[in-house]
Amino acid sequence: MAAAGAEPCGQPLEPGRLAVYFCGSIRGGREDQALYERIVARLRRFGAVLTEHVAAAELGARGEGEEAAGGDRFIHERDLAWLQQADVVVAEVTQPSLGVGYELGRAVVLDKPVLCLFRPQSGRALSAMIRGAADGLRFQVWDYKEDEVETMLDRYFEANSLKQVAASPSPTT
């Protein structure tokens, strides 16, 4: 499934370093782009971020600029190749996005540990398909406030091991 040229747009992969797949809305809306920049910056502490482009300010309100990579088929195949490489998936799910939902479903099928971050203060309701997927093990959904995002990521990744993190039912345990 690896697409030609499916090199991560983030940091190069190093042996022993986590490969992190970050999901955030692109064509579904770019309102949280600045927050995505903060998330990607923090994720770099814990591993190579395969999908740094999600935070790019250059992407237009409907993802303009992403198509330059080679069209929808190329983007799909490239992103699935990165998802297969990933050790962990982190998704900011406050801005509804069909693509993020699709990526999360694929991550579950691939048995990847998943952390979904949602801001209830946004006034939005999180899809039952996302919140309901939380199993207390591999798939986590954590509510947070925007000023807590770095702390939440630290809590998730600074556990003794990713397996231990994936077994934590909440960010405070």
Side-chain angles (χ1 to χ4, degrees), residues 33-125:
Q33 178 273 323
L35 177 60
Y36 298 165
E37 284 182 347
R38 289 176 51 203
I39 292 170
V40 166
R42 192 56 146 224
L43 290 174
R44 286 185 196 121
R45 292 182 174 197
F46 307 109
V49 182
L50 304 174
T51 53
E52 286 189 1
H53 71 284
V54 173
E58 298 79 41
L59 290 179
R62 298 208 183 273
E64 297 92 346
E66 187 184 33
E67 292 84 8
D72 291 346
R73 170 66 67 184
F74 177 84
I75 291 166
H76 177 267
E77 297 301 317
R78 176 200 66 193
D79 289 5
L80 287 183
W82 287 338
L83 191 55
Q84 287 181 330
Q85 290 177 10
D87 297 306
V88 61
V89 175
V90 175
E92 210 302 332
V93 295
T94 306
Q95 173 66 43
S97 166
L98 293 172
V100 170
Y102 178 83
E103 290 167 320
L104 292 173
R106 295 298 290 254
V108 168
V109 169
L110 292 169
D111 198 32
K112 304 290 181 178
V114 174
L115 172 63
C116 294
L117 299 170
F118 178 74
R119 297 184 323 277
Q121 298 78 11
S122 69
R124 294 186 173 106

